[in-house]
């Protein structure tokens, strides 16, 4: 069975075509700058060169059509015909309280995703564009939605409610939802298998540290707390997002800086975080080299990030009554031995320590704690596309004749 995995952002579409017989990627790529000048499709058939296909791509529907044409192209395509795609798996950011698992998309499910757009106005509408485009182009191919929030639907009320009047939760669904769920679930599963244990027997803290960053406490297989909240703005300090701040700062800024609500939103989402602290960059690679040259604010941004991650780890150890494994994933987590070392420095009280030699690993699944550590520390590259493909496969194998 061949699964087309689609991840639509506001101006981009990332995709992979995965053969589920051996879980191999046949082709992958990205449509960039939708609706802007310079839009193009970058398409890479596995094991071959990348082709750049510049074209006017006014919307997601045109982008999806271009991807399908590339997939069936006689020169750089990987399938003969569109009908070789057995099912489509869509990443959907927000599933609200309705979707605690991946689902086959029906008209009713579409309405549910539309309803969640009210709480995720930036993310769910482009996801819906992608779904609608695929349903139009491939009307008889089953489509599945895989939600970023679903894995966190097991959070208990004490972890997901804010200290606001309860009526606001009932009226508007104002609560913690959490994000990066497919990533947290995947790396926890891999960690459990590397420990030759079942996730249901372990307490795992997963640190998804990329441009967006979140941490999750997974107790005996279930997410019981996570750092992102009602939106992906809460929690850790991130590339350009502030993470948690005192909410009283918002009316203060509105008054003192004469800012409107959209301006504040832009400030907190795109101009804060390590970019705001360093005044230099949202990329940890830039900060690490600037700090090495003696740039104090870059050093401060690095210190602040590592401190926050460590604080969350401590908090989640308390929430779970202990921990068996800590996992690092995403851009920083997979590639920065320096940051991993800084975060774990001081966790010896838990009965763990990083092995400097093992910690040199980049982008590969490996245990990085010292031998016989009570708490194992792992680097595990995330693979959200594979989770989407697996969920789609599991849902569709019942309805597709193989
Ligand atoms: P992601 O959002 O998971 O794609 O992660 C992107 C972020 O990972 C970038 O903004 C960088 O800050 C970070 N990153 C990638 N490679 C490295 C590296 N070798 N060292 C430090 N940070 C890295």
């Amino acid at each position: 069975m061949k699964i087309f995995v689609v991840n639509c952002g506001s101006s981009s579409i990332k995709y992979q075509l995965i053969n589920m017989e051996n879980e191999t990627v046949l082709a992958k790529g990205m449509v960039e700058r939708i609706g802007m000048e310079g839009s193009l499709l970058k398409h890479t058939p596995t094991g071959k060169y990348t082709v750049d296909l510049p074209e006017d791509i006014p919307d997601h529907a045109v982008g999806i059509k271009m991807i399908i044409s590339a997939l069936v192209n006689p020169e750089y395509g990987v399938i003969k015909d569109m009908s070789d795609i057995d099912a489509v798996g869509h990443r959907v950011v927000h599933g609200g309280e309705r979707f605690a698992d991946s689902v086959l998309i029906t008209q009713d499910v579409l309405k549910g995703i539309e309803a969640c757009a009210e709480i995720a106005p930036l993310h769910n509408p482009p996801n819906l564009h992608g779904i609608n485009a695929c349903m139009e182009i491939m009307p008889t191919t089953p489509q599945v939605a895989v939600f970023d929030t679903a894995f966190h639907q097991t959070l208990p009320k004490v972890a997901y409610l804010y200290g606001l009047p309860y009526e606001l939760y009932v009226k508007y669904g104002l609560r913690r939802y959490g994000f990066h769920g497919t990533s947290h679930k995947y790396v926890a599963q891999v960690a459990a298998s590397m420990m030759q244990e079942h996730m249901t027997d372990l307490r795992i803290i997963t640190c998804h540290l990329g441009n967006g960053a979140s941490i999750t406490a997974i107790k005996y297989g279930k997410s019981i707390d996570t750092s992102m909240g009602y939106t992906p703005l809460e929690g850790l300090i991130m590339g350009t997002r502030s993470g948690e701040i005192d909410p009283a700062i918002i009316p203060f800024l509105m008054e003192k800086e004469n800012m409107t609500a959209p301006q504040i939103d832009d400030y907190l989402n795109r101009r804060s975080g390590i970019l705001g602290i360093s005044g230099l960059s949202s990329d940890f690679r830039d900060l690490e080299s600037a700090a090495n040259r003696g740039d104090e604010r870059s050093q401060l941004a690095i210190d602040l990030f590592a401190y926050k991650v460590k604080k969350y780890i401590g908090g989640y150890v308390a929430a779970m009554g202990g921990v068996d494994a800590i996992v690092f994933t995403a851009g920083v987590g997979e590639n920065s031995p320096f940051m991993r070392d800084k975060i774990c420095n001081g966790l010896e009280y838990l009965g763990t320590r990083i092995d400097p030699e093992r910690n040199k690993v980049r982008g590969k699944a490996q245990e990085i704690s010292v031998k016989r550590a009570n708490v194992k520390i792992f680097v595990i590259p995330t693979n959200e596309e594979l989770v989407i493909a697996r969920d789609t496969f599991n849902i569709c194998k019942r309805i597709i004749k193989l």
Side-chain angles (χ1 to χ4, degrees):
M1 191 193 274
K2 293 185 184 67
I3 310 261
F4 181 39
V5 175
V6 179
N7 178 358
C8 286
S10 56
S11 63
S12 68
I13 307 170
K14 288 189 205 148
Y15 65 93
Q16 290 191 1
L17 185 68
I18 300 181
N19 180 0
M20 293 311 288
E21 269 150 45
N22 46 12
E23 295 193 337
T24 51
V25 177
L26 298 170
K28 64 178 172 183
M30 185 167 175
V31 175
E32 290 173 29
R33 302 181 60 82
I34 294 173
M36 292 182 240
E37 223 171 274
S39 50
L40 86 160
L41 163 62
K42 283 186 177 181
H43 172 77
T44 314
T46 301
K48 290 194 190 160
Y49 50 88
T50 298
V51 273
D52 280 4
L53 301 161
E55 202 160 307
D56 184 26
I57 310 174
D59 54 40
H60 290 76
V62 173
I64 295 279
K65 279 185 191 139
M66 265 188 88
I67 297 170
I68 305 280
S69 303
L71 289 171
V72 300
N73 184 282
E75 193 190 326
Y76 45 78
V78 290
I79 48 175
K80 281 208 173 68
D81 190 85
M82 195 169 75
S83 62
D84 291 343
I85 297 174
D86 295 292
V88 187
H90 295 269
R91 176 189 182 213
V92 179
V93 170
H94 220 305
E97 290 191 328
R98 169 161 173 193
F99 300 108
D101 221 331
S102 305
V103 284
L104 186 71
I105 300 175
T106 58
Q107 285 306 320
D108 184 46
V109 167
L110 268 180
K111 279 195 197 117
I113 299 172
E114 271 163 22
C116 294
E118 195 174 315
I119 37 179
L122 297 179
H123 295 102
N124 275 28
N127 299 157
L128 277 163
H129 292 323
I131 295 171
N132 286 326
C134 287
M135 288 177 83
E136 203 183 302
I137 300 164
M138 296 173 266
T140 55
T141 310
Q143 320 262 335
V144 167
V146 179
F147 301 92
D148 260 28
T149 49
F151 182 56
H152 302 300
Q153 275 301 299
T154 46
L155 255 61
K157 266 200 166 126
V158 289
Y160 75 65
L161 281 181
Y162 292 119
L164 292 167
Y166 192 81
E167 297 73 40
L168 293 179
Y169 161 62
V170 177
K171 196 168 170 192
Y172 299 115
L174 280 180
R175 51 158 285 179
R176 175 183 313 284
Y177 290 97
F179 297 87
H180 294 143
T182 40
S183 175
H184 289 290
K185 179 176 160 188
Y186 173 75
V187 297
Q189 280 169 342
V190 176
S193 77
M194 286 171 81
M195 294 169 78
Q196 297 182 329
E197 303 258 13
H198 293 290
M199 228 165 99
T200 44
D201 295 324
L202 296 168
R203 293 158 299 178
I204 306 176
I205 296 174
T206 46
C207 308
H208 179 111
L209 310 179
N211 197 29
S214 68
I215 306 202
T216 297
I218 304 169
K219 188 176 185 185
Y220 306 137
K222 288 184 175 159
S223 170
I224 62 134
D225 207 349
T226 190
S227 59
M228 282 179 167
Y230 176 68
T231 73
L233 184 57
E234 198 187 343
L236 297 170
I237 172 171
M238 306 178 213
T240 59
R241 294 184 206 141
S242 64
E244 61 208 1
I245 57 167
D246 182 339
I249 291 171
I250 294 169
F252 176 88
L253 279 179
M254 288 176 111
E255 201 183 314
K256 295 282 178 193
E257 296 273 319
N258 218 5
M259 280 178 161
T260 61
Q263 283 171 328
I264 294 270
D265 191 62
D266 182 60
Y267 220 71
L268 297 179
N269 274 294
R270 282 176 276 278
R271 297 208 271 151
S272 299
I274 59 162
L275 169 69
I277 296 285
S278 68
L280 184 84
S281 172
S282 62
D283 192 310
F284 280 93
R285 287 164 289 198
D286 298 337
L287 298 193
E288 286 182 25
S289 25
N292 284 335
R293 292 193 306 268
D295 186 87
E296 283 181 18
R297 278 176 56 185
S298 295
Q299 184 63 55
L300 185 62
I302 290 169
D303 293 347
L304 233 135
F305 181 78
Y307 176 72
K308 284 267 185 186
V309 176
K310 194 192 301 247
K311 221 167 102 167
Y312 264 100
I313 291 175
Y316 288 167
V317 172
M320 294 195 289
V323 61
D324 302 298
I326 298 169
V327 183
F328 288 100
T329 193
V332 187
E334 291 169 26
N335 296 300
S336 178
F338 166 78
M339 192 56 88
R340 294 191 298 252
D341 187 61
K342 203 168 169 56
I343 292 165
C344 294
N345 187 0
L347 294 185
E348 292 78 12
Y349 72 97
L350 287 177
T352 192
R353 194 156 44 87
I354 276 188
D355 178 323
E357 208 40 51
R358 290 175 161 190
N359 189 33
K360 285 181 181 158
V361 69
R362 285 174 198 265
K364 198 177 104 191
Q366 186 169 297
E367 187 187 334
I368 57 167
S369 41
V370 292
K371 283 198 180 106
R372 287 184 288 281
N374 288 341
V375 178
K376 309 278 182 218
I377 309 175
F378 294 98
V379 170
I380 298 175
T382 193
N383 194 341
E384 289 161 282
E385 290 78 11
L386 184 58
V387 179
I388 295 171
R390 281 180 182 166
D391 278 12
T392 305
F393 175 77
N394 286 330
I395 288 172
C396 294
K397 71 182 175 194
R398 286 181 257 128
I399 49 174
I400 294 174
K401 263 213 288 183
L402 295 171

